[in-house]
Amino acid sequence: MSATSPAGPSASTVAAIREKARLLSAYSMLSTTAAGSGHPTSCMSAAELAAGVFFYAMKFDPKNPNSPNGDRFVLSKGHAAPLLYAALAEAGVFPVSRIMTLRQFSSELEGHPTPRIPGVDAATGSLGQGLSVGVGLALGARLDKSPTRVYVMMGDGEMAEGQVWEAAEFAGHYKIENLTVLADVNALGQSEPTMYQHDMEIYRRKFEAEGFAAEVIDGHDVAAVLTALDRAKATKGRPQAIIARTIKGHGASFAAGKNGWHGKPFSKDQLAEALKEIGVAPNIPADPGKSYARTSLPEPPDFPAPAAPDYEEGKQLATREAYGYALKRLGAVNPHIVAMSGDVKNSTFSEIFGDAYPDRFFQGYIAEQNIVSAGVGLAARGKVPFLDSFACFLSRAYDQVRMAAISRANINLCGSHCGISIGEDGPSQMALEDIAAFRAVHSSTVLYPSDAVSTERLTETMARRSGINYLRTSRPKTPILYKLEEKFPVPGFKVLRQSPQDRVTVIGAGVTLHESLKAAEQLKAAGTAIRVIDLYCVKPLDGKALAEQIGATGGRLVTVEDHWPEGGIGEAVITALAQAGVAPSRFRLLAVTRMPHSGKPDELLDAFGISARDIAAAVREIS
């Protein structure tokens, strides 16, 4: 907020920032004591760092704290939320009185930050994710040719997380020069001292090894903090790390540098003693109770319809390949789309988009956690991120997806090579849990196309939908089922075979839909008609509409999926029917129930109970 000079910060500037730091520390203690819970000592170690960023280095408009033209601050050590709230209040985003509502049910100031709070772009608190979010924010600013800088405050405890170093290597590789890390090295974790404690050179060497301009400072020396922030701004061609040696509980002698104070507010007597020591005892008025929560969060930007798919009738194409073509068509009409791949772009076919729009494609390498959290940062900048990997490997980033939902982020994930139908690669590469995992995520949409046309249309749908969107694509080539102009509303399904004589409704998706169609032909030859449904949208489900179709076949139902039975299509359908107040009269839920192994796709489908032969047998059992 203040200008710098070549000679460095003036004595008056240093004194002013030191006073701000004392206030932030005091506010953190006061609010946590009032709440009866929280992490005051974790705030006190970083007060000078936060004051330096907010009141010296950042371009920040308190009337528009999430402005794309302003700098951004990510508190990766989210348990120090009272410090962030104190800084936002002191900057004028909301009244200082509001900090005294910390952790109250009626307050937006939760125990850890979420984007309900003005000035916050992502939920933090699941440690180790903030630097990746910052990477996404900084990349988004670079794509916008914006001078925005991103500051990420991290704790030393969370720097044991592998994701931190995934993000650091990514930032160094892409020379993200508008990214500054502030590492609060207070040497104490939750239960004991941190791994390296105050061996500052280890942290410096680690950041330098990843391509950062890194320096070690005394984090309680305000002049050193401001000078380091000036140097970071002046650094070109690489990200920066300011590694600050700090004391947890700094300013309160009874807690400073002592183990056992993590997550413990001060008693009223301890608070009075600490405020006396730091020399600040602000009188905070009662809060009037007005909410300052953000009432709206960014929605995906609108865009014209892309060119229609141009596939030849009768052509066979894997849905994973159609995903790449869909991205390319979307990229032509939506400049906000950005894609990132976990070193599988030639298997997920996102390389088709990357070849067409190299400035909007990033190789994320084998670092799925960083990819997902970077997508959250990109989305906060107004981008429409598409992130891909093999579906099984996205399980490594499940917590990041969970936190993306808490962040109210709009991100799109494509998981390819699902199920046993991948064939010879074996069970380590077979996603058999992913439908269950993504169904369980709040705000998620789970899409499972069965041909190239539906893949293209559903990929476009993802670009228009908010929340967490997951597209499950398959390895084998499959026939095109739909005309190019077909629409795929969400929720929705397609009835591909039906007649008044249908005895059973069979529901499949992906490769099992094609097996269901084969079974329909086999059964037809034997005189039995079945209804076949393509459940391209697994979540949300229209249980009432499904119930009507199943009711037309006497309530008899077979579901078949290339997935474990737990949490998959079968359970999704039964739950949707129950919610609609309907129960099937007889049913069979076909799924993979034994640990699979390598083999040819057709061999595996048959051996593990989800082939056309198994579907026909299930129909005969209940019809």
Side-chain angles (χ1 to χ4, degrees):
M1 286 189 174
S2 58
T4 63
S5 71
S10 66
S12 61
T13 297
V14 170
I17 300 302
R18 184 179 295 115
E19 185 59 25
K20 290 290 189 186
R22 293 201 303 160
L23 272 174
L24 299 188
S25 188
Y27 292 156
S28 299
M29 289 187 278
L30 284 160
S31 60
T32 50
T33 295
S37 63
H39 302 74
T41 57
S42 299
C43 300
M44 296 159 76
S45 65
E48 287 82 5
L49 296 172
V53 172
F54 270 90
F55 304 106
Y56 180 77
M58 281 180 71
K59 294 178 302 176
F60 184 73
D61 179 3
K63 295 181 180 178
N64 189 8
N66 294 90
S67 167
N69 299 318
D71 292 342
R72 310 300 258 250
F73 179 85
V74 179
L75 182 68
S76 188
K77 49 175 282 181
H79 53 285
L83 176 65
L84 171 61
Y85 304 157
L88 292 171
E90 186 63 17
V93 174
F94 43 77
V96 170
S97 63
R98 194 66 184 160
I99 65 173
M100 300 304 286
T101 68
L102 174 71
R103 294 179 169 233
Q104 292 180 14
F105 180 77
S106 60
S107 176
E108 64 278 5
L109 304 185
E110 299 183 64
H112 292 76
T114 76
R116 292 179 63 215
I117 300 159
V120 175
D121 288 303
T124 53
S126 184
L127 293 173
Q129 299 184 23
L131 183 53
S132 297
V133 172
V135 160
L137 286 165
L139 269 186
R142 190 160 85 178
L143 288 169
D144 292 337
K145 296 179 170 55
S146 165
T148 292
R149 292 193 66 81
V150 179
Y151 296 90
V152 179
M153 179 179 286
M154 296 168 31
D156 52 335
E158 68 178 315
M159 285 194 281
E161 283 280 5
Q163 183 179 354
V164 169
W165 304 106
E166 287 184 7
E169 65 188 5
F170 184 95
H173 174 73
Y174 283 104
K175 297 178 170 53
I176 305 178
E177 66 181 26
N178 58 332
L179 177 69
T180 301
V181 168
L182 300 111
D184 172 25
V185 183
N186 63 35
L188 290 174
Q190 175 170 324
S191 62
E192 66 180 39
T194 54
M195 188 181 298
Y196 303 126
Q197 299 183 47
H198 274 141
D199 190 339
M200 308 301 290
E201 282 302 296
I202 290 180
Y203 293 109
R204 183 185 63 78
R205 291 196 302 269
K206 289 180 78 166
F207 275 107
E208 285 185 344
E210 301 297 358
F212 278 64
E215 66 172 303
V216 174
I217 65 168
D218 177 347
H220 299 303
D221 181 338
V222 172
V225 170
L226 304 189
T227 300
L229 287 166
D230 284 344
R231 276 195 290 265
K233 278 188 178 182
T235 299
K236 302 299 180 186
R238 52 183 174 162
Q240 314 87 44
I242 299 170
I243 306 161
R245 187 187 192 280
T246 63
I247 303 297
K248 196 166 185 175
H250 174 70
S253 58
F254 59 86
K258 296 177 181 176
N259 202 17
W261 278 98
H262 186 88
K264 293 183 179 179
F266 298 156
S267 68
K268 290 184 178 179
D269 289 342
Q270 290 166 338
L271 172 65
E273 181 181 343
L275 292 174
K276 183 177 180 181
E277 282 194 48
I278 69 169
V280 177
N283 183 21
I284 301 175
D287 185 69
K290 175 186 174 183
S291 173
Y292 291 88
R294 292 167 70 187
T295 55
S296 62
L297 292 170
E299 294 287 332
D302 195 14
F303 57 93
D310 54 0
Y311 304 119
E312 299 174 11
E313 189 174 346
K315 180 182 177 71
Q316 290 213 350
L317 194 77
T319 55
R320 62 185 173 119
E321 189 172 356
Y323 169 73
Y325 290 119
L327 278 186
K328 179 182 176 181
R329 276 186 255 274
L330 287 169
V333 295
N334 187 343
H336 302 287
I337 288 179
V338 179
M340 193 178 297
S341 178
D343 195 26
V344 292
K345 63 180 181 178
N346 56 342
S347 289
T348 61
F349 288 92
S350 57
E351 66 180 2
I352 296 172
F353 174 88
D355 291 343
Y357 305 103
D359 292 343
R360 290 190 271 149
F361 178 84
F362 296 93
Q363 173 61 270
Y365 301 96
I366 304 171
E368 294 84 3
Q369 296 181 358
N370 179 62
I371 289 169
V372 172
S373 296
V376 173
L378 284 163
R381 275 294 306 190
K383 305 303 174 189
V384 181
F386 279 82
L387 318 166
D388 68 72
S389 183
F390 286 9
C392 58
F393 301 147
L394 287 174
S395 63
R396 294 200 285 247
Y398 191 65
D399 183 40
Q400 287 69 24
V401 174
R402 181 185 72 89
M403 289 298 292
I406 297 171
S407 294
R408 285 73 164 175
N410 306 318
I411 63 171
N412 306 296
L413 300 116
C414 174
S416 75
H417 290 63
C418 60
I420 63 174
S421 58
I422 70 166
E424 291 87 346
D425 280 348
S428 69
Q429 314 296 295
M430 297 171 175
L432 290 164
E433 309 85 1
D434 55 316
I435 293 176
F438 280 97
R439 280 184 62 222
V441 173
H442 177 72
S443 80
S444 67
T445 298
V446 179
L447 305 171
Y448 191 2
S450 299
D451 82 335
V453 173
S454 57
T455 302
E456 291 236 12
R457 295 305 189 192
L458 293 173
T459 303
E460 178 186 349
T461 294
M462 292 167 74
R464 299 185 186 279
R465 283 183 73 84
S466 59
I468 311 300
N469 299 306
Y470 177 60
L471 186 77
R472 190 182 207 229
T473 61
S474 303
R475 184 181 191 180
K477 293 181 182 294
T478 50
I480 291 176
L481 299 171
Y482 297 105
K483 295 186 180 299
L484 299 181
E485 63 272 13
E486 191 79 28
K487 304 297 182 185
F488 295 84
V490 173
F493 55 84
K494 297 288 183 183
V495 182
L496 296 186
R497 296 284 189 279
Q498 64 177 323
S499 74
Q501 292 76 40
D502 291 341
R503 296 284 298 161
V504 177
T505 297
V506 176
I507 298 177
V511 295
T512 64
L513 176 65
H514 296 277
E515 293 298 309
S516 299
L517 293 171
K518 292 176 188 175
E521 293 302 313
Q522 296 172 11
L523 290 163
K524 181 180 178 182
T528 300
I530 64 171
R531 187 158 301 197
V532 178
I533 288 179
D534 174 4
L535 195 69
Y536 65 80
C537 181
V538 182
K539 180 188 176 183
L541 275 184
D542 185 342
K544 183 177 179 181
L546 278 175
E548 291 175 0
Q549 296 295 329
I550 297 164
T553 62
R556 292 177 289 272
L557 167 68
V558 172
T559 65
V560 54
E561 58 192 301
D562 194 359
H563 189 275
W564 297 126
E566 294 83 5
I569 288 173
E571 288 193 357
V573 169
I574 294 297
T575 299
L577 293 175
Q579 290 172 339
V582 176
S585 59
R586 301 190 72 189
F587 65 93
R588 295 289 185 273
L589 308 183
L590 304 184
V592 180
T593 57
R594 295 179 291 115
M595 184 59 66
H597 50 75
S598 295
K600 295 186 182 304
D602 288 345
E603 290 177 323
L604 294 171
L605 294 177
D606 199 47
F608 291 95
I610 57 172
S611 69
R613 180 175 66 87
D614 299 295
I615 296 166
V619 168
R620 286 191 287 267
E621 284 179 16
I622 66 174
S623 61

